[in-house]
Amino acid sequence: MRVWRPALVVLCGLALGGPAAAQTNQAAKGRGPIANTPDQTIKGAAMAVEGDLLTVNGTAVRLMGIDAPDPGQKCRNRYGHELDCFKVATAVLANMVKGEEVTCTITEQDRTGEKKGECRVRGVDLGAAMVSRGWAFQYASLSPAYQKGEAYAQSKRMGLWAGQVEKPWQWRSRQLREKAK
């Protein structure tokens, strides 16, 4: 049995369709649709590009409400050994979508044209799965939907919480400051 199969894992001790799913659905309804049109749905085979970015049938979709480590971002495991947390987070997401049909509901498109939305495999929200396993952080300013999942991962010292990691938005800021010097 594969460990990362979302359908086989009960997230944060909650059954599928429980309070966490309801929170996520409510959060998605609160976001504006793309250019005043109904939410767009994309289904099909997916490939993980980053820990919070998929391509579904060739269309890039950023997972809404989460932030995973960026390319080049390093972290330390519980033993103090450095690892490429970007590669690990990307591999975790890749394992979740491997051989599965992914359904993404696109709820937003930013000024650069990047599509953002909620993606699911067998009814499991991939953003919630990444956060509750500790391989992504909730973007609290965008949505409180993943707050419980992050608290769970942090309390159990799962994923990135097992060692030392800089939150991706802090890492990006530091990179910009260092380049400006």
Side-chain angles (χ1 to χ4, degrees):
M1 178 167 55
R2 286 178 26 196
V3 176
W4 299 110
R5 274 264 213 249
L8 302 176
V9 177
V10 176
L11 301 175
C12 304
L14 302 172
L16 295 178
Q23 277 183 338
T24 302
N25 291 337
Q26 288 169 354
K29 289 176 187 170
R31 293 190 286 268
I34 300 170
N36 298 320
T37 61
D39 291 341
Q40 176 185 1
T41 301
I42 301 172
K43 285 186 181 187
M47 186 175 76
V49 178
E50 297 182 9
D52 55 3
L53 179 66
L54 296 169
T55 58
V56 182
N57 290 337
T59 301
V61 180
R62 177 97 34 204
L63 298 177
M64 189 72 139
I66 73 168
D67 199 5
D70 287 336
Q73 188 173 351
K74 306 289 185 207
C75 52
R76 298 197 177 275
N77 67 13
R78 68 184 74 217
Y79 306 108
H81 297 106
E82 187 177 86
L83 61 114
D84 187 333
C85 45
F86 166 78
K87 284 185 180 179
V88 176
T90 303
V92 170
L93 183 59
N95 202 22
M96 285 188 221
V97 301
K98 184 178 180 182
E100 299 285 350
E101 180 178 69
V102 176
T103 303
C104 295
T105 303
I106 310 302
T107 57
E108 189 177 301
Q109 189 167 322
D110 68 16
R111 66 185 181 284
T112 65
E114 182 176 70
K115 296 179 183 209
K116 298 177 182 181
E118 181 182 279
C119 297
R120 294 178 173 269
V121 169
R122 297 185 186 195
V124 175
D125 178 351
L126 293 172
M130 288 296 289
V131 170
S132 67
R133 291 184 175 127
W135 293 108
F137 299 93
Q138 69 155 335
Y139 235 137
S141 61
L142 296 178
S143 171
Y146 303 126
Q147 186 174 7
K148 288 181 182 178
E150 185 169 282
Y152 176 81
Q154 189 174 10
S155 72
K156 300 292 183 182
R157 300 189 56 78
M158 296 172 68
L160 298 166
W161 296 106
Q164 297 174 342
V165 66
E166 196 172 11
K167 292 188 175 175
W169 55 90
Q170 294 168 338
W171 184 83
R172 284 190 295 272
S173 273
R174 188 172 55 77
Q175 295 301 307
L176 288 173
R177 284 192 311 274
E178 288 175 4
K179 285 180 183 175
K181 289 181 182 178

